[in-house]
Amino acid sequence: MALGHGSKKSRSCDLEVAPAPVDLPLEWVGPGNEASMTSSKMLRRPCRCLLAFLVIVTIIILSGGATLAWYFLEYRVWVLEPRVQQQYTARLSILNRNYSSGLSSHTSPAFTAQAKEVQDMVRRIVKGSDLSRYFNSTKVFAFGEGSVVAHFWLVLSVPDSHVGKVTMERVSSCLHSLLGAYRGSDREETANYGEYLLHLPSFSITDCYRYQVVSSSTAVAMRGPNTQRSSCLWHLRAPQGSSTQSFRLELRMEWLLPECRDRLAVYDGLTPTDTHLITSLYGCSRQERVVHVLSSGEWMTVVWKQGLYNYKDPFSLSAQAWTTEMCSSNIELQPVSGVQGSLRTPSIPATTHQTPTVPGHSLCPLQTMDYHWSLKVMS
């Protein structure tokens, strides 16, 4: 009986308790299992909250960084910073256009139409280069011969912090590279850009440019060249005249150094072309230390080419305006003998674009009715 009782007791100890199913209602689960599940849920909630917090902080940091980068790299530079205007003068030959007399006048329809087309072309060229964001304006100021040579100004508006980056070398390189991409081959010297056939070797640009209206009747000193550049161009303009009065310019050039290899060329008009050349001076000429030249109209152009670098200005320029004197006069002769009236030529410097020829002495007897008269010309 004892064994039988022990056997029953042993069988009861070997019985296994089946685990409570997961999907059973909470009231069916024992007290120990309920506490374990509650503890697990309490541990998961802080982990999820921490993860969400980290995601939100990361988004805020990235958004803040992007906003700061946009402010310092874009808004502050392109909106808030003061701008520096950089002006360049350039020229380019257009081979599939022919020069006509209408292109010599700024008021002619031919000049206006052609200038508008060229300005649009220059605008598209600059906008298509790395200088796009700096572009401000462009204006054609003259056309020259050879088929058609367009002379134009280019103005860039550069943020103050970018002035050191936008150099003359970079501007020239960007524009040359863009035009070179339109060549048929690397050996060709022409580029087809839109409807224009451009002669690439003729393209030149410089940032050493001076413009001044000269209205004083006494000599006014001009600003000298930038000796850091290899060339410089001056445009001098007399006051705009009227139907009864016009002006011309007198330019005084003086070499300041005993020796140099620089070259100065003076042109009668807006375009530096051979047909408008008044005089060309070279090498700090000892024979002509001071030279005066006179324009035939209101515009004069001076071009300087540097020979060897010198930190001093090799020359000085000064200019003054003159009222154009008419070279015609009427004298009414009276029926008496003796000298009557006088004719006088205007004061003209030694070098002019159109040098007048005046004989020393000459007598020109003419017979009119019953009187004889003679003209005596003295130089």
Side-chain angles (χ1 to χ4, degrees):
M1 292 179 65
L3 290 171
H5 179 76
S7 178
K8 289 181 181 178
K9 197 171 185 178
S10 175
R11 286 196 298 269
S12 65
C13 289
D14 292 336
L15 291 175
E16 295 182 2
V17 179
V22 177
D23 56 347
L24 289 177
L26 186 60
E27 59 268 23
W28 292 8
V29 181
N33 290 333
E34 182 180 357
S36 176
M37 293 181 66
T38 304
S39 176
S40 176
K41 289 182 178 180
M42 292 179 66
L43 289 174
R44 288 185 191 138
R45 286 176 185 173
C47 292
R48 290 176 181 175
C49 293
L50 181 61
L51 181 60
F53 176 76
L54 291 176
V55 171
I56 293 173
V57 170
T58 302
I59 293 174
I60 292 175
I61 292 175
L62 292 176
S63 300
T67 302
L68 289 175
W70 170 81
Y71 176 80
F72 285 104
L73 298 178
E74 291 289 327
Y75 186 78
R76 186 178 67 85
V77 173
W78 299 101
V79 178
L80 300 182
E81 271 194 18
R83 295 296 187 104
V84 177
Q85 300 291 321
Q86 294 184 355
Q87 183 166 351
Y88 302 84
T89 179
R91 65 177 181 178
L92 180 62
S93 292
I94 305 173
L95 300 180
N96 59 343
R97 294 292 186 273
N98 295 320
Y99 183 82
S100 64
S101 58
L103 296 178
S104 62
S105 174
H106 286 74
T107 58
S108 69
F111 182 95
T112 303
Q114 190 64 66
K116 185 178 179 181
E117 291 181 5
V118 173
Q119 287 165 189
D120 183 63
M121 177 191 68
V122 174
R123 183 182 300 107
R124 285 186 281 115
I125 289 174
V126 180
K127 286 283 189 178
S129 71
D130 294 338
L131 306 172
S132 175
R133 301 190 72 174
Y134 304 116
F135 177 79
N136 181 273
S137 63
T138 183
K139 184 176 179 61
V140 173
F141 61 83
F143 288 107
E145 299 179 22
S147 303
V148 170
V149 181
H151 299 263
F152 57 91
W153 293 309
L154 174 64
V155 180
L156 301 181
S157 182
V158 182
D160 191 60
S161 61
H162 287 206
V163 170
K165 302 177 184 178
V166 185
T167 61
M168 174 66 227
E169 290 74 18
R170 181 186 173 187
V171 172
S172 178
S173 175
C174 285
L175 298 181
H176 273 100
S177 296
L178 187 138
L179 290 174
Y182 289 87
R183 292 183 298 178
S185 66
D186 294 340
R187 295 184 178 181
E188 289 188 16
E189 295 185 342
T190 59
N192 286 283
Y193 190 86
E195 59 182 12
Y196 292 102
L197 181 63
L198 307 177
H199 186 229
L200 297 182
S202 70
F203 176 68
S204 64
I205 184 169
T206 178
D207 63 344
C208 184
Y209 175 75
R210 313 281 188 256
Y211 171 81
Q212 187 162 347
V213 176
V214 182
S215 57
S216 175
S217 58
T218 57
V220 177
M222 303 288 103
R223 183 183 171 191
N226 181 355
T227 55
Q228 301 295 324
R229 301 301 179 205
S230 60
S231 64
C232 199
L233 185 144
W234 288 258
H235 272 144
L236 308 179
R237 186 178 185 181
Q240 191 171 2
S242 62
S243 57
T244 59
Q245 187 182 45
S246 60
F247 295 88
R248 60 175 61 185
L249 294 167
E250 180 185 351
L251 178 69
R252 180 183 185 273
M253 298 173 289
E254 180 179 1
W255 293 109
L256 302 178
L257 298 179
E259 185 177 354
C260 67
R261 296 184 182 179
D262 296 29
R263 183 182 296 276
L264 274 174
V266 185
Y267 300 88
D268 187 34
L270 267 170
T271 56
T273 58
D274 292 341
T275 55
H276 293 155
L277 181 65
I278 299 176
T279 187
S280 180
L281 308 173
Y282 176 76
C284 294
S285 175
R286 296 180 180 180
Q287 289 74 28
E288 293 181 295
R289 300 295 298 177
V290 179
V291 178
H292 292 259
V293 294
L294 187 72
S295 69
S296 63
E298 61 178 312
W299 285 97
M300 182 180 283
T301 301
V302 182
V303 176
W304 165 71
K305 299 283 187 181
Q306 188 181 58
L308 298 176
Y309 172 75
N310 198 308
Y311 65 93
K312 293 183 178 180
D313 287 350
F315 60 90
S316 67
L317 299 174
S318 60
Q320 66 186 96
W322 288 87
T323 303
T324 301
E325 300 178 29
M326 302 302 294
C327 294
S328 62
S329 181
N330 296 322
I331 298 176
E332 184 178 352
L333 299 177
Q334 303 298 325
V336 294
S337 60
V339 176
Q340 300 182 39
S342 64
L343 302 176
R344 186 177 170 218
T345 60
S347 175
I348 299 178
T351 307
T352 62
H353 180 53
Q354 297 175 343
T355 304
T357 301
V358 181
H361 297 277
S362 64
L363 293 175
C364 305
L366 297 175
Q367 183 175 3
T368 304
M369 301 296 290
D370 296 330
Y371 298 94
H372 294 270
W373 67 280
S374 62
L375 177 66
K376 184 176 183 180
V377 180
M378 301 185 65
S379 60

